[in-house]
Amino acid sequence: MINPLWYQKSQAEILEQLNTSAENGLNSKTVQQRSGEPPNVIEEGPGTSPLSIFFKQFTDTMVIVLLGATVVSGIIGAMADAITIMAIVILNAVLGFIQEYRAERSLEEIKKLASPFARVLRNGKKLSIPTRELLTGDIVLIEAGDRIPADLRLLESSSLEIDEASLTGESVPITKDPWAALSGETPLAEVANMAFMGTGVTRGRGKAVVVATGMDTVMGEIARMMKNEKEDLTPLQVKLGQLGKYLVIVCLLVCTLVTLMGIYRGEQVLTMFLAGISLAVAAIPEGLPAIVTIVLALGVQRMAQRNAIIRRLPAVETLGCTTVICSDKTGTLTQNKMTVKKMATLDHTIMVEGEGYNPTGRFILGKKDIDPGEDKAAGILLEVAANCNNSSLEKQKGGYRISGDPTEGALRVLAAKAGFNPEYARLHEIPFDSERKLMSVVIDRHGEPVLLVKGALEVIIARCTSVMEGGKVTVFTSRHRNYLNQLQEEWANQALRVLGFACKKLSSSELAAPDEGKWENKLVLVGICGMIDPPRTGVKDSVRVSRQAGIVPLMITGDHPVTARAIAAEIGIAPEEQVIAGPEIDQMSDEELYRGAIKKRVFARVSPQHKNRIVKVLKKHGHVVAMTGDGVNDAPALKAADIGVAMGITGTEVSREASAMILADDNFSTIVNAVYEGRAIYDNIRKFIRYLLGCNIGEVLVMFTASLLGMPLPLLPIQILWINLVTDGLPAMALGLEPPEPGIMQRKPRPRDEDIFARGLGRIILGRGIYIAFVALLAFAVGMTVSRMNGVQDLGMARTMALTTLVLAQLFYVFECRSERFSPFELGFFTNRFLVGAVLCSVFMQVLTIYWPVLQNIFKTVPLDGWQWLLILFISGFRLLGKFILYTWQRLFLSGFEYGKINA
């Protein structure tokens, strides 16, 4: 991604190669010669027109089926059905268009990360030019608050720090060093002598030469990967597409056979033609895509209430079959808030509690709460933390925020927890410098000048001649040095960043004649503190639940391996302490990388290409991969994954636009909640597929079997359409609102390539279809026999019995479809009140068609007597009655009764 020549060569070599001057910049002649270079912008690519995106929505197989059903409904005069189906198709197209159009904006958002103007030197003069006009060799001036306009090789710096979290995942700004000597392949996060396009300057200033612009930058390479990345169809899209193709073929064959056999038997051609078309309309579950969309949309609403925002509806189902979650560390598993967890003096170590930037927390020594201000050395340490500090702590709606450097912010919060605030006048400041690795201030403590110093422990130790121990200042000995070094090593293994604190009294004469070099020597060391970007609250439990659900969590971060290992161990991701670093990935084959990912589960110092490769290797081995992230560097992997999960608070707009789901609270636990919802929703999709197809197969088999047996038509075309309306509407939709079953997160994820009819669903659907057809034909035969025994040749009563039996058999069947494991009595008959209401409504509609004269004339029905209702209720509800008897008997007489054992 980054040309090693730029960070390996000396400044003089680069300036000579680019024909530029550090003092004067490019001259007019060179600017003119290079004016033909590509502009310093991120290429958008040809893109896709909004019109083509819209018309693409009508190419799905099920949509084509629905369009066919619309035409057929119009032919037979069922205009209400035709209008309803067309409305469904257009609504789905509009929703799909909106979602895809938003996704196309990802590359545009990358462009916004570049600052609009840059300060450069040309012909020895300072100019402000649009960043798109930057050329290689331009000398750029940068300072705190700037966004880096291109990839730069640093020439000079003063306390320069750059926030590269969006590229590297580092939780703290990177201290830059223009004179750093680097060799070999160096991870992006460790290239200290360069600055990269799109990152932000948090401290200091510098001068640099442009070495890469536009698509040649690290940001440009990320944009190129995003542009070339293709999104796979989700499992649900694939399965519904296959289902649609099967339905078209089967329905056309069966309906054609029914029509031809009826004509062959002597039925009227027009009657059989209408019956065949009506049967086709009834057989094709035109409500299936609509119900899928509605159920997914309702799931999206529930997820939004739990802080998971879904950008693409099929992502809900995809989450339910996720087998691997590739998670960034900073801001995803951790809080992205540096927090002091420990502080130590030469006398004792104090644990510090509290979350994030909230200035409340306990100080614990041993097992007791203490006031650290009562200890002299700890009190001075806190005094240094509060006063040798340029950050500020601000209260805002919903919590607190830090303005300034994150490390200083952590110290500001530490001091505030103990009640220490900057209360002394500042007489002098020696700013932090990357070479000295120190910051010092002189305060006026009750009329006495005192120097307060903080910085890297090894630098502090080298400048101290005394320590504070037992409340007294004593000589700094090798014993003290060994103790502090041992403590630093121990804390570093826990991913704690260690800082040292010291002080020194100054005389009036020293203050009057400032000598910063002498001031920062012969210091008194008072203690150290260890800080970390801590794991989010609840993330450990979420990792445990995800592993229990058969999901493998991976940490993929650009942060340091030691930090990654410590965080992974704390939250339970890694089964062992080994970490795979970025350079190792380049040496691994795909098979080695896959084994390492599943076994070690922690990757550190990775680049965007590494993330992409990890995701693709996992997918190649059959995993359904969810990738979480918040930075620009995560965007290509978010698109490559089966489902990209972006952070809503800390995430960049680029990562959000590239994702399928956004976490509004940036909480890893929300992903687990989303998986739970995804599994429940997929279960519900299978439930109403089971219901709709079982019912439709029953309707087709009634007509087909009657034709085979030479029987009269059991149902008229208008009656077939009525069954379709009264059973395929409200009950199926209510079935999609079924609450999640018990133990849903104790299951293993279903296989990626699992067929929609897997686990015996196809057998169940066919069996129930045959049963529904059998009882309907039985009712028709009984009605026809009774009519003929009474000398009545009209088939009105027989068809009314068949119609009512079909309707009630399907309504009884809908309760069986509530679970593939539990019977409706185990679940509780009224736990889905929507379903009970829908069934009662459908029963009422059916009764109206039988007893209301207006509907009797339309649907050619006759009133039924008591014995007919008893027969219909018994044969249509026989299976459900048998399950109730079995459930009651097992509960009363079997002590070892287990739920989920009787829904055969």
Side-chain angles (χ1 to χ4, degrees), residues 734 737-742 815 818 823-836:
L737 301 176
E738 185 68 28
E741 296 179 16
F815 288 103
R818 290 182 60 195
S823 79
F825 308 102
E826 292 173 285
L827 293 174
F829 218 86
F830 295 97
T831 51
N832 186 348
R833 297 184 179 181
F834 296 103
L835 183 59
V836 174

Side-chain angles (χ1 to χ4, degrees), residues 255-569:
C255 296
T256 302
L257 282 173
V258 169
T259 303
L260 293 177
M261 285 190 295
I263 295 173
Y264 176 76
R265 265 194 345 267
E267 298 280 355
Q268 292 185 6
V269 174
L270 180 59
T271 300
M272 290 310 304
F273 177 70
L274 291 176
I277 292 177
S278 300
L279 193 57
V281 172
I284 296 173
E286 67 274 3
L288 180 58
I291 294 174
V292 169
T293 301
I294 291 169
V295 170
L296 290 175
L298 291 173
V300 165
Q301 292 179 11
R302 289 197 302 271
M303 288 186 179
Q305 294 171 356
R306 303 177 77 170
N307 295 311
I309 301 170
I310 301 296
R311 296 184 63 247
R312 302 184 184 100
L313 289 183
V316 180
E317 180 269 341
T318 312
L319 271 171
C321 59
T322 298
T323 59
V324 176
I325 297 178
C326 298
S327 176
D328 191 23
K329 179 186 72 68
T330 304
T332 307
L333 295 169
T334 63
Q335 300 176 22
N336 198 20
K337 297 177 180 178
M338 292 299 292
T339 307
V340 176
K341 306 301 290 183
K342 295 182 180 182
M343 54 184 288
T345 65
L346 270 297
D347 300 309
H348 39 241
T349 298
I350 302 170
M351 309 300 294
V352 184
E353 291 190 344
E355 295 291 336
Y357 295 145
N358 191 329
T360 58
R362 300 160 57 202
F363 292 83
I364 302 173
L365 178 59
K367 295 183 179 181
K368 295 182 180 179
D369 288 12
I370 65 164
D371 178 0
E374 295 179 355
D375 179 271
K376 188 172 183 181
I380 296 176
L381 187 155
L382 292 167
E383 187 178 80
V384 177
N387 291 276
C388 189
N389 197 315
N390 289 320
S391 69
S392 60
L393 178 65
E394 303 167 5
K395 188 172 184 178
Q396 60 179 10
K397 185 178 180 180
Y400 293 82
R401 67 180 293 270
I402 284 293
S403 177
D405 180 76
T407 299
E408 291 195 342
L411 297 177
R412 173 74 69 207
V413 173
L414 170 71
K417 287 177 181 179
F420 282 72
N421 294 300
E423 55 182 314
Y424 301 114
R426 185 179 294 188
L427 305 177
H428 193 84
E429 177 184 347
I430 308 175
F432 177 85
D433 183 86
S434 57
E435 289 187 10
R436 296 184 313 109
K437 297 183 180 180
L438 293 175
M439 174 186 176
S440 302
V441 296
V442 180
I443 61 171
D444 182 359
R445 185 201 283 163
H446 309 303
E448 181 181 35
V450 179
L451 180 73
L452 306 178
V453 186
K454 74 172 191 293
L457 180 58
E458 61 273 16
V459 177
I460 292 283
I461 287 177
R463 293 172 179 262
C464 287
T465 56
S466 306
V467 296
M468 183 162 289
E469 185 177 19
K472 298 179 180 179
V473 176
T474 62
V475 177
F476 188 42
T477 66
S478 59
R479 176 179 63 85
H480 299 130
R481 184 188 305 273
N482 292 337
Y483 171 75
L484 292 170
N485 286 335
Q486 181 180 351
L487 203 57
Q488 181 184 36
E489 183 178 352
E490 178 184 325
W491 288 8
N493 288 330
Q494 299 170 17
L496 294 175
R497 184 184 180 199
V498 181
L499 290 182
F501 299 81
C503 64
K504 176 182 179 180
K505 292 181 180 179
L506 297 178
S507 64
S508 300
S509 59
E510 286 178 309
L511 185 62
D515 188 336
E516 296 179 354
K518 289 185 178 180
W519 281 3
E520 292 182 329
N521 283 305
K522 298 183 179 180
L523 302 174
V524 179
L525 192 147
V526 294
I528 63 175
C529 77
M531 63 183 68
I532 192 174
D533 179 14
R536 287 183 170 275
T537 302
V539 72
K540 185 174 183 179
D541 290 337
S542 299
V543 169
R544 176 183 54 78
V545 170
S546 65
R547 294 182 66 174
Q548 188 179 36
I551 300 170
V552 179
L554 304 184
M555 178 190 290
I556 304 177
T557 178
D559 218 336
H560 195 279
V562 172
T563 305
R565 181 175 63 240
I567 295 294

